[in-house]
Amino acid sequence: MSESADILIIGGGLSGTMLAVQLLRLPGQRRISVIEPRAELGRGEAYSAVELGHTLNGNAARMSVDPDNPDDLTQWLTTHIAGGGWPESAEQAVPISELFPPRGLFGVYVQQRLAEARVAGAQQGSTVEHICAEVVDLQSDADSVQVSLNDGRRLRSTYAVLATGMFPAARTPQKESSGLNAAALDPWDVAAMRQLDPQSTVLIIGSGLTMVDAVVSLEQAGHRGPIEVFSRHGLLPHVRRQPPAWPDFLAEDHSIRTPRQLLRELRRQCRDAIAQGIDWQAPLDTVRAHIARLWSQATDVQRRQFVRHVRPWWESHHHRSAPLSAALVERLRSEGRLRIQAASFKGLEPHSGAGVSIRIRRRGEAATGVVHGAALINSSGIEYDWRRVARALPQQLLARGLVRPGPLALGIAAAVDGAVLDAEGQAGSRLFAMGPPLRGMWWESTAVTDVALQAKALAARLVG
Ligand SMILES: Cc1cc2nc3c(=O)[nH]c(=O)nc-3n(C[C@H](O)[C@H](O)[C@H](O)COP(=O)(O)OP(=O)(O)OC[C@H]3O[C@@H](n4cnc5c(N)ncnc54)[C@H](O)[C@@H]3O)c2cc1C
């Protein structure tokens, strides 16, 4: 067992990297290790994107990683573009703050902020080491945390932080869930899509932002055939516009606590906005800042009501699509090439020959049917229930009683400061979590702005 670090960060996507950046910026000397199997820090799944068409879903003005400087990304982009980077941005006649950068470029921005923080941290003797491995087990006692890596190494530290991000869903009621992912194409793998017959039919499960990315990938790969999209509600993400400011009605009215009250008031505000000729996205966007408070105050019954009745609409109205991607989807729909159907996926169907067959049940129909395509793309989202994640670390943490499922089994439970709760509901002093694993605690715990704020607060907590 090697004494490796003061703070071990498990996962080097945006969350783990921004935590390291915030720790490096704080006074004092500390050794930080980020354990991440990917070759580069700061990217994770989202910012490993290589296609220019796979963009952020918010403009630069909304995607700063520095909670103290909302213009941080805009300023970085201004310098980057002035230096000859991202020449394609010139095709969009909008100010830099309104550009939707490619996610791969956003990864470069995150990495540059890490590099700068490393230099600043080095002046006081702080270091960040990237350990390229996966954590497969973790134990904790009163004095330290010990982790085991998939290459056999074992490390010890004073604190550990779970920044393990999101796990892809294999949404199927059947046992062969892994079969679905094995049969499906990666939504971002343009090279694999180039192997398809361009005129063939492609099936997509799920109609959220990952589906939009998959359609961008298919277009990029030269696919020109039909695209059949199936999702339970058949709802598409709305396009993100730049709405003007709107009064923060939830800050003024704390009597709104339940999902029903929220929806009623939000609808009223949207109607008022539309009557004044203002975009309905303006009132909706004021809700974001209050979601964590509303969710954490709610009872489990109210949370369940929200998930069952409001979630699909929240997802499609709030998690909106970048304008260029949305325009592509709209064009393909108007050409009749892309069809979105409200239908649930029931499983893979055995068949002989090429392609893939799936069983679906269309909304409102009792009988199921089989649909055949040349390829299948699974864009059905994220598995937040750690009990269903077939990965070593989540399974070991649950088996050892070091974590317990969060509200509604969304991620894991933690105290307000991020200290993870064990199976008995006790917050320890060594193990913390941030980002998507805290979905059940805050509902929105995934986007760039959520992660940036959590990183700053958790760094202060760990150092304090
Ligand atoms: C395709 C995609 C696009 C997105 N686009 C946007 C967007 O436009 N705007 C926005 O605000 N948000 C977006 N998001 C949300 C996004 O999740 C967050 O912005 C951010 O990536 C979350 O960072 P993270 O580090 O918590 O998770 P991740 O990026 O998932 O990183 C977690 C990392 O942990 C590592 N890891 C997991 N388990 C272990 C282990 N046991 N040991 C060691 N390492 C481990 C993984 O390898 C991974 O690199 C997007 C997400 C996805 C998937």
Side-chain angles (χ1 to χ4, degrees):
M1 174 88 58
S2 61
E3 179 72 34
S4 76
D6 300 311
I7 300 169
L8 275 181
I9 302 175
I10 304 172
L14 180 68
S15 295
T17 304
M18 286 321 299
L19 178 60
V21 167
Q22 293 290 351
L23 286 165
L24 288 165
R25 285 180 183 168
L26 290 174
Q29 184 180 355
R30 55 196 63 89
R31 290 167 305 157
I32 304 157
S33 290
V34 184
I35 310 174
E36 165 61 56
R38 290 173 199 267
E40 294 178 45
L41 296 182
R43 292 194 179 271
E45 178 73 59
Y47 312 111
S48 295
V50 289
E51 297 297 329
L52 289 179
H54 292 153
T55 68
L56 290 177
N57 63 356
N59 61 26
R62 293 169 174 267
M63 294 288 158
S64 162
V65 294
D66 187 348
D68 299 320
N69 178 12
D71 296 327
D72 191 56
L73 175 56
T74 305
Q75 289 160 358
W76 182 85
L77 271 179
T78 306
T79 311
H80 184 74
I81 292 169
W86 191 22
E88 297 81 1
S89 62
E91 291 161 19
Q92 302 175 50
V94 295
I96 288 181
S97 60
E98 290 178 22
L99 289 169
F100 288 69
R103 291 201 301 273
L105 182 59
F106 183 85
V108 176
Y109 156 64
V110 173
Q111 290 179 333
Q112 192 162 333
R113 290 295 178 252
L114 174 63
E116 290 157 2
R118 269 183 156 140
V119 172
Q123 285 166 8
Q124 34 197 9
S126 288
T127 54
V128 173
E129 183 191 6
H130 174 192
I131 298 173
C132 201
E134 179 181 341
V135 175
V136 291
D137 197 6
L138 183 151
Q139 295 180 64
S140 172
D141 55 37
D143 303 317
S144 70
V145 183
Q146 308 95 48
V147 303
S148 306
L149 308 185
N150 60 340
D151 58 13
R153 276 183 287 174
R154 299 184 68 209
L155 311 170
R156 184 196 296 274
S157 72
T158 313
Y159 300 109
V161 177
L162 299 168
T164 47
M166 310 195 283
F167 300 103
R171 189 172 296 153
T172 163
Q174 290 160 8
K175 287 192 203 86
E176 79 278 10
S177 57
S178 58
L180 171 60
N181 281 336
L185 286 180
D186 180 328
W188 301 285
D189 192 346
V190 173
M193 294 177 195
R194 285 205 180 96
Q195 308 305 314
L196 296 172
D197 170 357
Q199 299 304 329
S200 63
T201 300
V202 174
L203 314 176
I204 303 184
I205 302 168
S207 63
L209 290 171
T210 304
M211 178 279 290
V212 175
D213 264 8
V215 170
V216 170
S217 305
L218 284 167
E219 182 73 6
Q220 182 71 30
H223 178 261
R224 299 294 175 260
I227 303 172
E228 300 282 355
V229 178
F230 306 95
S231 82
R232 264 186 218 138
H233 296 85
L235 294 172
L236 258 184
H238 284 264
V239 59
R240 185 173 290 287
R241 293 184 293 267
Q242 320 285 347
W246 183 261
D248 189 352
F249 61 96
L250 287 171
E252 289 156 16
D253 185 354
H254 277 246
S255 69
I256 298 169
R257 295 176 77 91
T258 67
R260 197 184 293 254
Q261 289 169 329
L262 173 63
L263 269 195
R264 197 183 304 128
E265 183 55 22
L266 184 55
R267 285 210 182 98
R268 201 178 68 74
Q269 298 277 336
C270 289
R271 275 198 303 271
D272 283 0
I274 292 166
Q276 294 172 42
I278 294 174
D279 197 326
W280 58 262
Q281 297 190 357
L284 183 70
D285 284 357
T286 66
V287 175
R288 186 66 163 77
H290 300 277
I291 283 296
R293 172 178 62 79
L294 290 166
W295 178 265
S296 58
Q297 281 173 354
T299 62
D300 270 359
V301 171
Q302 290 167 343
R303 290 176 184 140
R304 240 172 243 119
Q305 282 171 349
F306 177 85
V307 170
R308 190 166 305 145
H309 303 297
V310 185
R311 177 185 185 165
W313 281 267
W314 175 257
E315 297 293 337
S316 64
H317 286 72
H318 181 71
H319 296 282
R320 302 196 289 270
S321 191
L324 286 176
S325 320
L328 171 65
V329 169
E330 221 21 73
R331 175 168 68 72
L332 298 188
R333 284 183 86 189
S334 65
E335 288 171 2
R337 265 185 54 207
L338 183 123
R339 214 154 53 113
I340 296 176
Q341 302 183 53
S344 31
F345 170 72
K346 307 310 281 178
L348 291 170
E349 276 292 303
H351 74 103
S352 54
V356 55
S357 291
I358 60 170
R359 185 166 287 279
I360 54 155
R361 187 166 65 220
R362 293 193 169 79
R363 203 170 160 86
E365 291 180 11
T368 60
V370 174
V371 190
H372 185 79
L376 172 70
I377 298 175
N378 179 14
S379 65
S380 62
I382 309 304
E383 180 58 81
Y384 283 103
D385 185 345
W386 277 33
R387 295 168 306 183
R388 292 161 58 105
V389 173
R391 295 275 291 270
L393 183 62
Q395 291 304 321
Q396 283 299 102
L397 288 168
L398 284 164
R400 290 188 183 281
L402 289 173
V403 300
R404 62 175 357 206
L408 308 195
L410 295 168
I412 53 174
V416 174
D417 65 356
V420 166
L421 304 191
D422 65 17
E424 265 71 58
Q426 299 299 313
S429 57
R430 303 276 155 215
L431 185 59
F432 292 78
M434 65 173 294
L438 301 186
R439 167 79 155 175
M441 306 310 300
W442 311 117
W443 183 250
E444 292 292 348
S445 186
T446 297
V448 169
T449 40
D450 304 317
V451 163
L453 278 168
Q454 286 185 21
K456 186 172 180 217
L458 183 54
R461 162 68 183 83
L462 292 172
V463 168

